Amino acid sequence: MNTKERTIRYIMNTYGRFDLTLVKGEGCLLYDEDEKEYVDFASGIAVNNLGYDNHAVNEAVINQVKKLIHASNYFYTEPQALLAEKLCKNSFADKVFFCNSGAESVEGAIKLARIYAGKFSKRGYNVIAMQNSFHGRTFGALSATGQDKYHKGFEPLLEGFTHVKFNDFGAVEKLIKSEKGNGYCAVIIEPVQGEGGVNIADKEYMKALRDLTAQNDIVLIFDEVQVGLGRTGKLFAYMNYGVEPDIMTLAKPLAGGLPIGAVLAKDKTAKAFEPGNHATTFGGGPLVTAAANAFFDEITKEGFLDEVLNTGEYVKEALNSLKSKFPDLIKDVRSIGLISAIEFYSIKSKDVAVNLISEGFLTTAVQDKILRLTPPLIIKKGDVDLLIESIVKVLNGHYNK
Ligand SMILES: Cc1ncc(COP(=O)(O)O)c(C=O)c1O
């Protein structure tokens, strides 16, 4: 049996996989079993922000493996403390809770918001979330997720989530100012909806949300699992908006490819958690936090994020000209930093992604007709040119008839 056959035989059938077995990576390149090369515009879904085989992350992991892989959170460990300090000093937050994934960070954020409401704001337990959002697959995160296709078959979900239209301030205001408005303790939103198709929140909307939630002591949660940590060209996505959340979730790229999640909060909110309220065995273990320290140091090096912004602008222009080249096929292109989407009128994004694999490029299909690009943040303009050439070739060859 080869790897594909063994996977199909022994692993539960939860993923619609591409027909490709990956073996190793270097920089922005990935290699399959036959050593065929692929330029990565997926980053393991916005995880491998420094690409592959990054020296600093590798060294940190190797050194820490030799010292201490795991210790219980009943004890102090240096990599965890150092990472928390870095995250706080470089963001709005005062305190961090470490966990193991994006979904878990959302669980932590919802639990923190609810316990804060119970202890301090005295509001109810309901949460306002966005239509078309994605927050993960555990029950709390799934209940916050505003896409029915992920809910199907798993009901009943967690009680107390109301989904409103993204970028529609009136919809949130209406709920909070309604008769039952006091029942809402939190609003959760992705500043950029990644899985939803790279939908970017408006500045004015985010400002209005911040004002309204602050006035009512409602916890504002930004889910930055996908777009935090440099993806938008700013260290955190909220920095594009001139507003700060009360809680922020992080995960995906934080530990350079190892599993980690984090809930960041201001003291005002964080103080609601006391010993025994929330915990996880592996959260913030020394190995992953050693890797995360190295990752964080790399992306906060002088000039790193400027380069992301610069390349991001280049991608944006390239996508705009692509759209003008194919006005009958491409409905819209959206971009912020190094996360972008190409929305087609009728072409299935998965088909385009499959064709691009044959051309040597990895991308991801988010919604049925939306192709997403999330390259490593170290991607070069030359690679962007090559991808665009291949998209042109694929669109001309398969669809432009
Ligand atoms: C915004 C957002 N939140 C949460 C998650 C869930 O993260 P994980 O898959 O690590 O549980 C994702 C994953 O795509 C995400 O994009």
Side-chain angles (χ1 to χ4, degrees), residues 45 101-104 106 134-136 190 195 223 225-226 251-252:
I45 317 187
S101 69
E104 250 189 81
V106 171
F134 185 81
H135 298 290
E190 299 155 88
E195 298 304 302
D223 181 348
V225 165
Q226 185 158 155
K252 286 182 181 284

Side-chain angles (χ1 to χ4, degrees), residues 41 86 107 120 153 174 195 198 260-261 268 320 346 374:
F41 277 81
K86 280 177 201 169
E107 297 293 331
F120 300 110
K174 195 171 155 196
E195 298 304 302
V198 190
I260 192 171
K268 177 179 186 250
N320 279 328
S346 57
T374 47

Side-chain angles (χ1 to χ4, degrees), residues 185-230:
C185 67
V187 174
I188 182 165
I189 182 168
E190 299 155 88
V192 179
Q193 292 185 328
E195 298 304 302
V198 190
N199 306 314
I200 303 163
D202 295 336
K203 242 184 182 168
E204 288 315 307
Y205 169 71
M206 291 290 259
K207 285 201 165 127
L209 262 192
R210 177 64 286 184
D211 287 345
L212 180 69
T213 48
Q215 283 153 16
N216 291 280
D217 204 4
I218 290 173
V219 174
L220 183 59
I221 305 168
F222 286 172
D223 181 348
E224 296 213 12
V225 165
Q226 185 158 155
V227 294
L229 297 160

